[in-house]
Amino acid sequence: MTSPSDDSARPVPVRVVLPADPLLGHPEQEVVARPWRRRQTETGWVYLVGLPSYRDLEDGSVEAAEYRVWVRAPEHVRPVDGVDYDQVPTEPLLPAPPKSMVREVLGERRPSGWVLAKAREGQGPARGVLHAPDCEEAPQGAPLLGVEQALNVAENPGTRLCTLCGCAQELTPMLSGFDHIGDA
């Protein structure tokens, strides 16, 4: 295995798959490139490849250049038959990060977002209650609202914020401003 900082190894070719461009009507294409590094990840291998390109110079002329980009194997980079890739600088799989002590103590995070339980009682404006998605009072299958959508819904006078799941504690400071937290 070559050290990750050793770029002096003899260059070897690799095939890089370029994406199709339906707008221009171009199919997927393959070009030959130079692999600079490879790295093992938890989901597979990625390669830093140098793609042939051109660049404009200040005097208006054009020169050959190289564009470097990380690509995933085998989806975007494929070997050339008969080429030995052992000389490509290789970074080993990094160890998995240790489990967070916070996650161990507090458990997994709750799902992000909020859901609206609509409750229409007779005539008048629509009424509802905002809940965290994992609240036992939250309606199943209701669309998940992002923070901006939830704040817009919460500003409606007919909407209550659930105190059972903590929705009220999470959204009220954003509705009232964080300066008002100590006033209550």
Side-chain angles (χ1 to χ4, degrees):
M1 179 164 79
T2 313
S3 82
S5 61
D6 183 12
D7 284 340
S8 62
R10 193 168 120 292
V12 295
V14 69
R15 294 181 301 158
V16 176
V17 180
L18 300 178
D21 186 342
L23 185 63
L24 296 175
H26 290 236
E28 190 175 84
Q29 300 175 42
E30 285 188 3
V31 296
V32 176
R34 175 182 178 178
W36 285 95
R37 293 199 183 339
R38 62 183 176 174
R39 177 183 299 153
Q40 189 177 13
T41 68
E42 290 182 7
T43 59
W45 286 90
V46 292
Y47 283 71
L48 177 64
V49 297
L51 295 167
S53 183
Y54 292 99
R55 73 171 150 229
D56 295 327
L57 299 176
E58 289 183 17
D59 67 1
S61 61
V62 177
E63 72 177 1
E66 181 178 68
Y67 175 74
R68 291 188 187 182
V69 62
W70 284 98
V71 290
R72 191 163 299 287
E75 299 94 328
H76 306 117
V77 64
R78 298 186 181 137
V80 172
D81 292 337
V83 174
D84 179 16
Y85 293 98
D86 287 342
Q87 59 188 307
V88 175
T90 303
E91 299 172 17
L93 176 64
L94 298 175
K99 187 169 181 178
S100 165
M101 182 61 85
V102 172
R103 286 286 152 249
E104 205 169 299
V105 172
L106 297 178
E108 292 303 311
R109 291 178 58 186
R110 73 177 336 159
S112 61
W114 293 270
V115 294
L116 178 63
K118 296 179 182 175
R120 184 176 277 272
E121 298 172 4
Q123 300 292 336
R127 301 192 179 282
V129 181
L130 269 176
H131 299 277
D134 60 348
C135 179
E136 60 187 49
E137 300 291 322
Q140 297 298 313
L144 195 61
L145 303 175
V147 68
E148 194 169 322
Q149 293 170 307
L151 290 171
N152 287 338
V153 169
E155 288 179 329
N156 180 336
T159 302
R160 283 189 318 104
L161 305 178
C162 180
T163 55
L164 178 67
C165 64
C167 180
Q169 292 85 344
E170 292 175 21
L171 293 179
T172 300
M174 290 187 267
L175 287 167
S176 309
F178 289 93
D179 295 336
H180 300 288
I181 292 174
D183 295 347

